[in-house]
Amino acid sequence: MDASAETLSIARPRPALTTGRAILLAGIVIALALPFVAKSFLLFQLTLVLVYAIAICGLNLLTGFNGQFSLGHGAFYAIGAYTAAIMMDRWDISYVWTLPAAGAICFVAGFLFGLPALRLEAIYLALATFALAVAAPQILKLSPLEHWTGGVQGIVILKPDAPFGLPLNQDQWLFFFTLAVALLMFWAAHNLIRSRTGRAMMAIRDNPIAARSMGVNTALYKTLTFGVSALYTGIAGALGAIVVQFVAPDSFTFSLSIALLVGLVVGGVGWIPGALFGGLFVLFVPNIAEHFSKGLSGAAYGVILILLIYLMPSGAGGFVQLVARRFASFTGRRSSRTGGNT
Amino acid sequence: MELLLQQILAGLATGGIYACMALAIVMIYQAIDHLNFAQGEMAMFSTFIAWQLLQWGLPYWAAFVLTIGISFIGGLLIERVVFKPIHDAPVLSHVVVFIALFAIINSAAGFIWDFTIKPFPTPFGTSPLFGSTLIGAHQGGMIAVTLLVLVFLYIFFRYTSVGLAMRAAAGNPESARLVGIRVGWMIALGWGMAAAIGAIAGMLIAPVVFLDPNMMLGILLYGFAGAVLGGLTSPGGAVIGGFAVGIMENLVGTYVPYVGSELKLPIALVIIVTVLVVKPGGLFGRVSVQRV
Amino acid sequence: MTALLEVRNLRASYGEVRALHGLDFAIEEGEVTTLLGANGAGKTTTLRALCGMIPTQGEVRFEGRPIRGWATEDVVRLGIAHVPEGRGTFVRLTVEENLQLGATARRDRGGVGDDLEQVYGYFPILKARRLQQAGTLSGGEQQMLAVGRALMLRPRLMLLDEPSFGLAPLIVREVFDILATINREHRVSMLLVEQNASLALGLADAAYLLETGRIVMSGPAREIRENESVRRSYLGY
């Protein structure tokens, strides 16, 4: 469960391991205490932060660790959300079961959508997923699907109560539930990256030809990664629907995909704990921006994105990681960098 | 039969807009090997500029020409200021910056002109063309202007030395430098022209779809569909692709049940994915091999 | 007496790897100078360095004017035409468009038509194929096109990167005969990079021998040809 430890260890090999663990533990303790101190609206927002973090983590597996692009993860989020809403509303199935179902459906959808990726340049994949994201709201509105999707009206669902007679209100319970799912998903992602599969994914990202010549089945790994990435985002979508208690086509416009991309870049491409910071960013920054003027959140997103790319033209890492590294190299023994040639 | 003909003509008219967008996309793709996801927003912003000029009392065609000029300079500046510094950055950085531009421009338009839907005038009138019921005057005007743009571009690239230099810079930048072409400026010029073409598309489609900050997202998707269908490496192909997508959109909307009458974006999605899977080079382009 | 091109302590590197370790050489007006060396000795790098295609340190003077660090486009404007490795053909453009592009950096637009005819005079095959896409030409024809494109600049100095590479012996002969003619008739100076040393020494007035980024020998071409070790290592007899 030392998800954050690993990356910090890049900057500071020995002590960071314990620092990372300590940060993680402190984080969990704070998270456990939150529902009892935070007001219910703030708690609702924090629950959504976790939801976005899971979605961004999924996108990170794809982009950060496998080098593929998606501008369309908003669509997978939508599929997950609708899966949950339809199961709960139309078939009266418990919310708990909607998560594996949403994950499975999105895994298949992502796997299928990842197939063209095998033949395409990265930029074409970005295009195909862009098209998916832009078309998603209209697909959800299609009249043949209206029986399930509720068309433009969408579907309203009910918030679940805490089980086993636990003395928690709905918001508190949902926060704990989401936190548990998030921890599980991050732990799984962390282990995936450190497994043989994860190394294969990164080998494909760094050098596809070498990966292939080492016997890595690049086609299989790329489509599987797409599937797993969509699975994460789909589960996040299902959770999001349960938390918001409502799904409608216009909740899943292209801006959602933009938000996930922003969260990825801000949190750090190829840095798993970054997704949490990405989630915080995409939830709270637009609120702050809208405070000044309506519609300003787009500009805030855009300017921050461009600044980040200028700071780190390679696109790897993210704002938080940058700060963490600076901080680490400031406090810790500076790793001796070889002086560049002049 | 008359319905069919009418739909095809209407398809040609909107197809002309898609063709313009496709052409703008292809111009930037040729210059820097990237897809400009902010192309539609740039066109939308240009259209708002035209609207503002009209509000200030400029005659239509003066506003039209001035907007094209402003857009050209704007496109040029975006390349010089935003994209030149990250010229060598990997694909992810480019995609992120395009998306950033998308968000900034969309947001800025809403900030300046708010998000309410505005009518936009047509210079061609709304009466039926030549008393025919098949096609309206504005649709006729859209087709005519599109064709004019195409002829102009053809002459520019085929017969002028700047056009030749731009083609050389796009095809082989290193060699182009060795004959003394300022490749950076050729790329910027490509951006300027793409922005200008987008502005024309925006001003022509605005009377049909009305003016608002989100007006171009769907149209951009059709532009992409046209460009991919015709081939991202072939300007001529992109134009044909744009027209073809316009006709397809209208026919599917009319004859296939369940598909509504508004923008039919899933059609664009299907076209894009199908072409990328079946024939990634498009109908007239070269097959682009995955760079590894 | 100042040389047309003077190079002092020219250094260049690819990332961390230094490719040129301080070259000193000069090219005299109207002469053909050749740079000999094995694969990886730094010949192509030297040409690229002169044209500002890679970052360099040191000093490069053209007609006494310091030009190191100039952008490629500006170097070309001085009348330095580079026939690059791999010929640099604009494959999607026609043969004639390729040639017209060669004149891009010229101030006098007037003489372009005449020069085009002159290039066609040197290479009649290009005239026969003038409206063909340049990518469809054979390797030898593309080499001729590259030389022709360079000539369209009316260059003071031509930098030639392995013009014999991949060509049939007869074609090589033809290309080198024309290079000799150009040098003689128009007094175009040349810096010729070649792996085929005997060919290059046949054309050149002066020669430099490059080994792993350093000049290890220099002198009049005739003397270099007579040198025992050069003969054994590069000429093979």
Side-chain angles (χ1 to χ4, degrees):
Chain A
M1 296 263 264
D2 49 353
S4 59
E6 192 197 39
T7 19
L8 282 176
S9 68
I10 291 168
R12 283 201 298 161
R14 281 294 312 164
L17 225 87
T18 45
T19 319
R21 280 236 171 87
I23 292 174
L24 182 69
L25 268 171
I28 292 174
V29 169
I30 293 170
L32 288 174
L34 269 174
F36 304 104
V37 289
K39 291 215 175 70
S40 79
F41 183 66
L42 179 64
L43 198 59
F44 164 77
Q45 286 182 315
L46 290 173
T47 314
L48 273 182
V49 166
L50 291 173
V51 169
Y52 285 136
I54 296 171
I56 291 166
C57 181
L59 188 56
N60 207 351
L61 288 175
L62 183 73
T63 306
F65 294 97
N66 197 219
Q68 301 191 76
F69 295 92
S70 174
L71 296 175
H73 262 47
F76 296 116
Y77 188 95
I79 295 174
Y82 267 90
T83 304
I86 291 170
M87 286 174 75
M88 289 169 72
D89 180 66
R90 300 284 189 272
W91 300 327
D92 229 6
I93 296 170
S94 161
Y95 65 97
V96 179
W97 299 112
T98 66
L99 299 191
I105 289 175
C106 284
F107 176 82
V108 173
F111 186 84
L112 292 178
F113 213 86
L115 283 178
L118 300 175
R119 302 181 46 180
L120 298 181
E121 268 183 53
I123 192 76
Y124 287 171
L125 184 61
L127 173 60
T129 51
F130 172 80
L132 180 67
V134 173
Q138 284 199 10
I139 296 174
L140 294 171
K141 285 177 199 166
L142 283 178
S143 53
L145 302 177
E146 209 165 339
H147 174 65
W148 290 292
T149 60
V152 190
Q153 305 298 320
I155 304 169
V156 177
I157 48 184
L158 296 174
K159 236 181 225 184
D161 289 316
F164 320 121
L166 288 172
L168 297 167
N169 67 30
Q170 291 170 326
D171 290 325
Q172 286 169 327
W173 166 242
L174 257 186
F175 180 83
F176 283 126
F177 180 68
T178 308
L179 181 68
V181 174
L183 283 172
L184 186 72
M185 304 288 284
F186 273 81
W187 175 73
H190 176 67
N191 284 341
L192 176 69
I193 291 311
R194 300 212 314 184
S195 72
R196 222 173 139 255
T197 309
R199 285 195 297 277
M201 282 164 59
M202 288 185 275
I204 292 167
R205 172 195 67 188
D206 296 332
N207 194 337
I209 293 174
R212 202 170 303 149
S213 65
M214 288 183 324
V216 175
N217 185 344
T218 51
L220 183 69
Y221 277 108
K222 283 174 87 168
T223 36
L224 278 179
T225 308
F226 213 107
V228 170
S229 170
L231 175 145
Y232 267 72
T233 308
I235 289 177
L239 275 170
I242 297 165
V243 173
V244 180
Q245 298 174 266
F246 176 59
V247 293
D250 291 326
S251 319
F252 308 110
T253 59
F254 182 49
S255 2
L256 176 60
S257 294
I258 295 184
L260 295 180
L261 183 75
V262 171
L264 171 69
V265 176
V266 170
V269 179
W271 188 48
I272 287 188
L276 187 63
F277 298 98
L280 280 167
F281 184 90
V282 299
L283 196 89
F284 288 109
V285 168
N287 284 350
I288 298 166
E290 300 278 332
H291 194 74
F292 293 103
S293 166
K294 186 180 178 306
L296 210 60
S297 60
Y301 273 177
V303 170
I304 289 169
L305 279 186
I306 289 181
L307 287 179
L308 283 175
I309 292 297
Y310 281 4
L311 284 172
M312 293 163 294
S314 71
F319 180 64
V320 177
Q321 202 180 12
L322 185 80
V323 172
R325 268 204 199 130
R326 288 272 157 88
F327 185 71
S329 68
F330 181 72
T331 55
R333 283 132 294 188
R334 222 158 276 181
S335 56
S336 60
R337 283 189 54 212
T338 45
N341 60 321
T342 42
Chain B
M1 192 59 210
E2 185 164 314
L3 180 67
L4 177 68
L5 205 62
Q6 199 174 353
Q7 290 303 324
I8 289 177
L9 280 172
L12 278 178
T14 43
I17 303 307
Y18 304 157
C20 282
M21 291 308 293
L23 204 55
I25 290 159
V26 166
M27 286 195 74
I28 288 182
Y29 183 78
Q30 294 278 65
I32 61 170
D33 256 359
H34 287 291
L35 297 171
N36 182 1
F37 290 102
Q39 192 79 57
E41 302 312 288
M42 286 163 61
M44 173 274 294
F45 202 86
S46 298
T47 312
F48 265 108
I49 291 174
W51 180 84
Q52 188 65 65
L53 293 174
L54 290 170
Q55 290 300 108
W56 287 338
L58 255 71
Y60 183 90
W61 289 110
F64 189 85
V65 172
L66 198 56
T67 301
I68 292 173
I70 294 171
S71 305
F72 177 84
I73 294 167
L76 207 97
L77 286 178
I78 287 179
E79 197 282 330
R80 291 280 94 176
V81 175
V82 182
F83 283 93
K84 191 174 165 240
I86 59 161
H87 184 71
D88 295 323
V91 185
L92 175 68
S93 305
H94 273 91
V95 171
V96 169
V97 172
F98 279 120
I99 296 302
L101 268 188
F102 179 101
I104 292 173
I105 297 173
N106 185 285
S107 180
F111 182 71
I112 302 171
W113 292 291
D114 75 56
F115 286 92
T116 55
I117 292 169
K118 298 175 175 61
F120 193 86
T122 164
F124 308 109
T126 47
S127 61
L129 192 65
F130 312 126
S132 146
T133 54
L134 288 177
I135 182 171
H138 180 71
Q139 288 170 313
M142 276 160 76
I143 297 178
V145 172
T146 305
L147 292 178
L148 221 63
V149 170
L150 295 181
V151 170
F152 167 79
L153 286 176
Y154 180 79
I155 292 171
F156 174 78
F157 281 114
R158 198 85 183 77
Y159 297 108
T160 70
S161 56
V162 179
L164 179 60
M166 280 179 74
R167 284 194 287 150
N172 192 339
E174 180 159 284
S175 237
R177 277 191 196 96
L178 284 178
V179 297
I181 294 169
R182 301 195 185 282
V183 173
W185 279 104
M186 293 301 128
I187 292 172
L189 205 56
W191 270 81
M193 290 176 65
I197 297 166
I200 295 173
M203 288 185 281
L204 290 178
I205 198 72
V208 182
V209 300
F210 297 104
L211 181 60
D212 86 292
N214 299 318
M215 67 183 264
M216 288 306 278
L217 183 57
I219 291 164
L220 174 68
L221 195 59
Y222 284 113
F224 274 129
V228 168
L229 180 62
L232 280 164
T233 53
S234 158
V239 169
I240 297 171
F243 278 114
V245 168
I247 295 170
M248 267 189 257
E249 180 208 1
N250 264 278
L251 293 184
V252 171
T254 312
Y255 293 106
V256 177
Y258 300 127
V259 180
S261 56
E262 10 142 22
L263 279 178
K264 301 132 218 155
L265 293 175
I267 300 173
L269 170 68
V270 170
I271 293 174
I272 290 174
V273 173
T274 309
V275 175
L276 288 183
V277 172
V278 177
K279 203 171 185 305
L283 293 178
F284 305 99
R286 284 163 295 142
V287 178
S288 176
V289 186
Q290 182 163 19
R291 271 174 298 180
V292 283
Chain C
M1 183 193 83
T2 52
L4 180 68
L5 186 83
E6 262 191 287
V7 175
R8 280 207 202 104
N9 195 19
L10 181 67
R11 283 155 293 148
S13 30
Y14 292 106
E16 301 283 299
V17 186
R18 174 140 290 182
L20 301 179
H21 302 267
L23 305 189
D24 294 280
F25 64 92
I27 297 170
E28 300 299 332
E29 177 98 53
E31 288 198 345
V32 176
T33 306
T34 185
L35 215 51
L36 302 175
N39 249 340
K43 305 184 304 281
T44 296
T45 307
T46 308
L47 293 196
R48 292 171 67 86
L50 293 179
C51 280
M53 294 166 81
I54 49 171
T56 51
Q57 297 100 44
E59 198 182 343
V60 179
R61 285 174 178 275
F62 185 72
E63 299 181 305
R65 195 176 187 183
I67 63 164
R68 195 200 57 79
W70 282 29
T72 308
E73 302 93 292
D74 297 317
V75 175
V76 175
R77 281 186 165 66
L78 295 172
I80 299 178
H82 188 160
V83 178
E85 186 185 31
R87 295 153 199 150
T89 312
F90 297 100
V91 291
R92 307 254 295 156
L93 308 183
T94 66
V95 169
E96 188 150 308
E97 284 172 335
N98 266 269
L99 291 174
Q100 281 166 347
L101 281 168
T104 305
R106 264 167 69 164
R107 298 263 157 68
D108 58 317
R109 308 297 305 171
V112 173
D114 292 343
D115 287 5
L116 197 60
E117 282 312 312
Q118 194 177 31
V119 169
Y120 285 149
Y122 287 133
F123 304 110
I125 187 76
L126 295 183
K127 182 158 194 173
R129 303 205 188 286
R130 54 188 277 265
L131 296 179
Q132 212 167 307
Q133 263 202 6
T136 64
L137 298 185
S138 72
E141 290 161 353
Q142 288 197 30
Q143 191 63 61
M144 295 176 191
L145 181 61
V147 172
R149 200 174 59 223
L151 284 178
M152 292 298 291
L153 182 66
R154 278 205 190 163
R156 308 277 321 276
L157 171 65
M158 281 173 87
L159 309 178
L160 297 145
D161 199 342
E162 304 239 9
S164 74
F165 185 80
L167 302 190
L170 262 176
I171 312 273
V172 171
R173 200 63 267 160
E174 198 182 334
V175 169
F176 271 72
D177 282 347
I178 287 166
L179 289 177
T181 311
I182 294 163
N183 172 247
R184 211 172 40 240
E185 288 181 2
H186 302 282
R187 284 189 53 75
V188 176
S189 316
M190 296 180 183
L191 177 57
L192 174 65
V193 154
E194 262 295 344
Q195 268 194 52
N196 185 337
S198 66
L199 197 62
L201 288 169
L203 180 65
D205 303 294
Y208 291 86
L209 191 58
L210 209 56
E211 262 171 29
T212 57
R214 288 185 181 84
I215 289 176
V216 292
M217 190 185 295
S218 64
R222 214 176 316 110
E223 284 175 22
I224 298 280
R225 199 167 21 192
E226 301 302 319
N227 183 290
E228 197 57 34
S229 76
V230 171
R231 197 136 88 181
R232 227 175 295 121
S233 325
Y234 295 96
L235 298 173
Y237 59 84

